[in-house]
Amino acid sequence: MKKIAILGSTGSIGTSALDVVRNFPELYEVSFLTANSRTDDLEKQIKEFKPGAVVIKDKLAAEVFKSNTDFKGIILAGEEGLIEATKNFDYDILLSSLVGFAGLEPTIEAIKRGKRIALANKETLVAAGEIVVDLADKYNSEIIPVDSEHSAIFQCLVGEKTEDISKIILTASGGPFLNTAYENLKNVTVKEALNHPNWSMGAKITIDSASMMNKGLEVIEAHWLFRMGKDKIDVVVHPQSIVHSMIEFIDGSIKAQLSLPDMKLPIQYALSYPERLNKSYTDTNFSSIKNLTFFEPDFKKFECLKLAFDVMEQGGAAPCILNAANEIAVEKFLEGKINFLQIPDVIKSALYRIENYSDPELESIIECDRLTRELLKKEMN
Ligand code: NAD
Ligand code: MG
């Protein structure tokens, strides 16, 4: 029996993970759950999964929750509650599925205890990749990717050596604006940007998919997770999202992992690895799929993807600055304060002005993240 702690249990990944847990009551139980402010959903999860504790990030929501609930377990609040739970509570696997930079510090606490991390929160590796993978090595904490592309690479690597990889090929759906002309991107609506063709996900990652920043973040994620240089990571657009990613080996052989898109598969694998569990969520029928197509991404149209490659080259805290600026830009786009093409502009304006650090410590990463948000929020209100 494994005890699972879920950061962000009310989100898209969190609820899919609970679907997996529900299917295997003999294998998994829930240690603690966390939510930002959606306490109604959390209450339902508590009734079904009976965690020992919950953390509610929003302190006001936590107060209201405490006075209305009959939950007898521990209730913590705020960022400090997330840290306390990951640092002190009893669990075997942490599913890191908060959205954004907020996931970094609690994930690090779990790594320092040598726990398995089922990692969905890619921002953790984008902002502080080197620190995170070095700590994972030091404390013998396994980071098993949940992101479908990285899970695909991870699955293809079973029985192989990383030094035999000649190239990682990350596939990208291209998002809802794959066939939209550049000059029309300025006028796309929030609703259109949230309408992803293949995946149903939280708002932030859905906008990232529309701008292809998601793929950029995933390139940096792959760089740290598999310790691969920039020249060894390719992105190919594959609109069907059936081939989740590929590895080309030094002998020219290519391995891919395929299935219809459903995040429950990589989540389940990250929990059960090295075992596979006997529960399938998809029925991949090649006769009905018919076409699998692949082509080059358009770096001019999707400038965010290019910016991500650039900051990876710059290194230091540059990816952290890009990540923080992107979080703010996406928030402002969702609020209708900037148009879609201003997202990369906001990011560039932060990268020009916030000082980069080489070999940053965690404290400098946290400071860079804070400074970037402060600068942009002041200007964009
Ligand atoms: P989501 O918005 O659906 O859920 C986010 C969860 O985090 C919610 O439970 C929310 O309450 C909580 N949360 C949000 N902001 C918080 C904060 N500041 N502090 C504490 N808790 C907070 O997001 P999602 O789509 O589930 O994505 C979660 C992470 O997984 C992201 O990093 C995303 O990039 C990654 N991911 C998601 C998918 C997917 O299919 N949804 C696929 C690959 C990777
Ligand atoms: Mg992905």
Side-chain angles (χ1 to χ4, degrees):
M1 198 75 171
K2 293 263 191 268
K3 297 191 187 80
I4 318 287
I6 304 181
L7 299 181
S9 64
T10 54
S12 163
I13 293 289
T15 48
S16 292
L18 287 172
D19 288 343
V20 172
V21 169
R22 182 183 294 117
N23 290 324
F24 296 98
E26 70 289 5
L27 294 181
Y28 303 119
E29 61 182 339
V30 172
S31 159
F32 68 87
L33 299 174
T34 88
N36 190 20
S37 57
R38 264 181 274 160
T39 49
D40 290 352
D41 293 351
L42 185 66
E43 186 77 64
K44 286 186 204 131
Q45 295 180 343
I46 291 172
K47 296 236 149 56
E48 181 178 358
F49 295 97
K50 305 188 171 40
V54 296
V55 186
I56 300 162
K57 156 72 193 343
D58 184 302
K59 289 188 173 165
L60 198 62
E63 282 314 309
V64 177
F65 178 79
K66 272 186 202 163
S67 51
N68 292 330
T69 186
D70 50 15
F71 176 55
K72 298 281 183 294
I74 302 167
I75 305 169
L76 299 176
E79 277 164 41
E80 56 278 25
L82 290 169
I83 301 285
E84 189 180 332
T86 43
K87 205 171 176 171
N88 298 318
F89 291 174
D90 182 25
Y91 59 92
D92 301 297
I93 303 176
L94 180 80
L95 175 68
S96 174
S97 52
L98 287 190
V99 58
F101 189 82
L104 175 64
E105 288 181 82
T107 304
I108 285 185
E109 292 303 334
I111 290 175
K112 284 186 181 162
R113 294 176 67 192
K115 302 293 181 190
R116 171 179 293 193
I117 312 294
L119 186 72
N121 179 263
K122 62 193 86 185
E123 295 91 344
T124 285
L125 283 179
V126 173
E130 190 161 18
I131 295 168
V132 169
V133 294
D134 285 352
L135 282 173
D137 281 352
K138 181 171 170 193
Y139 292 98
N140 264 323
S141 158
E142 298 172 289
I143 302 182
I144 317 285
V146 166
D147 214 346
S148 55
E149 296 76 3
H150 306 72
S151 175
I153 302 294
F154 189 82
Q155 293 182 53
C156 291
L157 263 176
V158 172
E160 307 283 356
K161 301 190 199 91
T162 25
E163 55 268 33
D164 289 344
I165 300 177
S166 72
K167 210 191 311 174
I168 282 178
I169 306 163
L170 294 178
T171 54
S173 70
F177 304 134
L178 181 60
N179 300 313
T180 307
Y182 177 79
E183 50 281 13
N184 294 335
L185 285 181
K186 194 174 165 206
N187 299 319
V188 296
T189 64
V190 169
K191 196 170 163 220
E192 286 166 333
L194 283 174
N195 187 21
H196 196 280
N198 306 340
W199 297 97
S200 158
M201 312 178 283
K204 193 256 175 185
I205 182 175
T206 307
I207 301 302
D208 285 347
S209 300
S211 69
M212 288 196 75
M213 177 56 94
N214 184 49
K215 209 49 53 183
L217 301 179
E218 290 183 356
V219 168
I220 303 173
E221 182 185 9
H223 167 64
W224 290 117
L225 212 42
F226 306 110
R227 295 195 187 258
M228 281 290 131
K230 174 184 164 181
D231 52 322
K232 288 190 164 188
I233 307 174
D234 274 2
V235 172
V236 65
V237 177
H238 166 51
Q240 296 84 9
S241 299
I242 303 284
V243 176
H244 295 305
S245 278
M246 302 178 255
I247 303 180
E248 186 183 289
F249 291 95
I250 46 178
D251 60 359
S253 178
I254 295 177
K255 274 191 181 178
Q257 184 262 338
L258 294 79
S259 74
L260 288 178
D262 190 322
M263 287 308 295
K264 289 193 280 299
L265 168 54
I267 293 168
Q268 178 170 295
Y269 190 73
L271 299 182
S272 70
Y273 170 81
E275 309 297 327
R276 283 190 187 273
L277 300 181
N278 187 7
K279 170 75 189 165
S280 161
Y281 303 93
T282 58
D283 183 8
T284 310
N285 179 337
F286 284 97
S287 314
S288 60
I289 293 167
K290 292 193 175 68
N291 285 314
L292 296 178
T293 52
F294 303 90
F295 45 92
E296 258 186 76
D298 183 340
F299 286 90
K300 282 214 179 85
K301 180 167 141 189
F302 296 106
E303 196 183 355
C304 287
L305 180 57
K306 183 182 172 298
L307 290 173
F309 271 95
D310 292 348
V311 297
M312 193 166 87
E313 181 82 46
Q314 287 161 27
C320 167
I321 301 167
L322 167 124
N323 178 67
N326 180 58
E327 286 189 33
I328 300 294
V330 169
E331 197 180 297
K332 297 297 168 192
F333 173 72
L334 286 169
E335 288 169 5
K337 297 217 166 98
I338 60 170
N339 74 47
F340 190 72
L341 285 180
Q342 286 173 304
I343 294 174
D345 293 343
V346 169
I347 297 165
K348 280 186 287 184
S349 85
L351 286 168
Y352 288 141
R353 290 178 296 164
I354 304 282
E355 195 191 341
N356 191 5
Y357 288 77
S358 52
D359 293 326
E361 305 277 324
L362 182 60
E363 291 68 34
S364 336
I365 291 288
I366 293 170
E367 182 63 1
C368 267
D369 175 81
R370 192 187 63 76
L371 286 173
T372 307
R373 286 166 199 271
E374 204 175 79
L375 175 78
L376 295 176
K377 278 191 173 161
K378 216 183 282 167
E379 289 173 350
M380 293 169 75
N381 270 333

